[in-house]
Amino acid sequence: MSITSHDVARFAGVSQATVSRALRGDPRVSAATRERVRHAADALNYVPSAAGRSLSTHTTRRIGVLVSDLANPFYPYLVGPLHDELEQRGYRMMLLTERSDEALAAEQLLDHSIDGAVLTTATSGSGLPDALRRKQVPFVFLNRVDGRDGDSAVVDNELGGRLVADELAALGHTRVALLGGVTATSTGREREQGFVAGLADAGIALPASRIRRGPYDFDTGYHGLPELLAADPDLTAVFCGNDVVAIGAYNAALRAGLRIPEDLTLIGFDDLPMASWEAFTLTTVRYDLPKMARAAARLLVERLAGDVRETARQVAFQPELVRRGTHAPPR
């Protein structure tokens, strides 16, 4: 016969309800009682039933996390700390990808199998946030927002773009280009806005011929840089929408026989661990990515617990420029 919570309750000398609360880490149960219950559960080899807990509490203790493509190096560095924070707060993470079918991912978020959602792929045209609101599923935006009300943990993208523009202007670059993200994403739109505004303040123009936009992946940089160089062979600096795009552009530059940074300055965004590898030593924009992920988890758990009344809260992280080996004055 399988061991039940009632067996644990008898062994520990407490009620069955106390066993449930103690194993959830409920602060209303004293530390001594929690320890006694855990000892009883270990002695009996008791494993709590997630299905039974869901039926009794009407919750699943599961959080759906929507990402676009796990092949992108950005997401593992985001998902790891997000998982750890949710686990510490008693939730399990269910990872969903919209790479193959956005509609299917949305359906999974709305099938009552989760208590809340973390959205990392928000675009201005997405109907998912409104669908979650109609189903009364709490959610939080992480990294990207869609312009509508909702809790969010983000970086100040406009400031990051300005930091890059200021650095290039200080180095003396005037023939600069942008390999940015698509404008349907807040990250692509805001980083470009900050960059363009910073250049304008320095009296530097950025014509449309020196702008290419695309997904935040290697191919956007690898194929986009040759297009920019074909349009302007005298280009001296390129701001890339993120580090993955920058590494794609770096490889394209090497293939074209260009030296980095002597012939071409490249600057990225995010400061992924690979940016500091000796193969790249990429100059980039840094912010605390793990801390931002953990902040998103806390915002969502607080919303689920009913601890907040505000319509929307935002935690914004300040960026800084990390100077490594891919920037220099123009040749």
Side-chain angles (χ1 to χ4, degrees):
M1 295 177 61
S2 60
I3 301 298
T4 70
S5 60
H6 294 281
D7 298 318
V8 176
R10 284 193 293 270
F11 191 98
V14 297
S15 69
Q16 188 274 338
T18 298
V19 170
S20 298
R21 295 191 188 101
L23 294 179
R24 291 200 308 270
D26 193 316
R28 292 174 294 180
V29 180
S30 70
T33 300
R34 290 200 300 270
E35 182 61 29
R36 189 162 77 250
V37 169
R38 290 194 186 100
H39 174 73
D42 290 342
L44 296 173
N45 292 320
Y46 170 67
V47 178
S49 167
R53 183 168 56 244
S54 296
L55 288 172
S56 63
T57 64
H58 303 291
T59 63
T60 66
R61 306 297 292 183
R62 286 198 297 262
I63 300 298
V65 179
L66 183 61
V67 301
S68 63
D69 184 0
L70 287 176
N72 188 321
F74 174 78
Y75 286 107
Y77 296 117
L78 191 74
V79 167
L82 183 61
H83 167 273
D84 293 345
E85 186 70 25
L86 289 171
E87 186 176 58
Q88 289 174 12
R89 294 173 179 270
Y91 286 87
R92 290 181 295 169
M93 188 177 78
M94 185 170 69
L95 195 59
L96 304 171
T97 175
E98 65 176 23
R99 179 184 182 185
S100 57
D101 192 335
E102 182 178 357
L104 177 60
E107 182 180 326
Q108 291 174 305
L109 287 174
L110 296 167
D111 68 358
H112 305 292
S113 64
I114 61 169
D115 293 339
V118 179
L119 307 180
T120 72
T121 63
T123 61
S124 56
S126 173
L128 181 56
D130 287 338
L132 289 169
R133 290 187 185 97
R134 287 194 297 271
K135 292 286 188 177
Q136 296 184 324
V137 178
F139 64 89
V140 60
F141 293 113
L142 174 55
N143 187 47
R144 297 182 189 175
V145 296
D146 73 346
R148 288 166 284 187
D149 285 343
D151 294 335
S152 60
V154 295
V155 62
D156 188 335
N157 291 297
E158 286 197 32
L159 177 57
R162 278 186 171 272
L163 292 176
V164 176
D166 292 346
E167 182 71 10
L168 295 181
L171 289 169
H173 290 279
T174 57
R175 302 190 78 86
V176 302
L178 171 69
L179 281 170
V182 295
T183 55
T185 64
S186 59
T187 47
R189 186 171 58 252
E190 293 167 2
R191 291 172 192 180
E192 180 174 331
Q193 288 172 346
F195 185 58
V196 171
L199 292 178
D201 289 345
I204 301 171
L206 184 65
S209 60
R210 293 195 212 137
I211 298 175
R212 294 293 183 277
R213 305 180 185 93
Y216 285 120
D217 59 25
F218 180 92
D219 286 347
T220 292
Y222 190 73
H223 298 300
L225 182 65
E227 293 180 7
L228 290 172
L229 291 171
D232 187 351
D234 296 323
L235 206 61
T236 63
V238 180
F239 171 39
C240 301
N242 74 356
D243 291 346
V244 180
V245 173
I247 289 170
Y250 196 117
N251 278 264
L254 294 180
R255 184 180 182 185
L258 297 176
R259 299 168 300 161
I260 305 295
E262 293 85 355
D263 298 326
L264 186 68
T265 283
L266 288 176
I267 299 180
F269 204 110
D270 288 334
D271 195 26
L272 299 181
M274 66 174 62
S276 64
W277 292 357
E278 292 181 0
F280 304 119
T281 61
L282 182 67
T283 299
T284 186
V285 177
R286 171 194 292 163
Y287 56 98
D288 198 326
L289 183 59
K291 194 172 182 180
M292 187 175 78
R294 288 180 175 273
R298 289 194 296 273
L299 288 171
L300 181 56
V301 171
E302 289 167 0
R303 182 69 65 183
L304 288 167
D307 293 338
V308 291
R309 294 184 178 179
E310 299 96 325
T311 302
R313 300 165 297 158
Q314 183 176 90
V315 179
F317 289 82
Q318 295 300 297
E320 61 177 328
L321 187 69
V322 182
R323 296 173 177 84
R324 292 196 180 103
T326 60
H327 70 289
R331 60 185 180 273

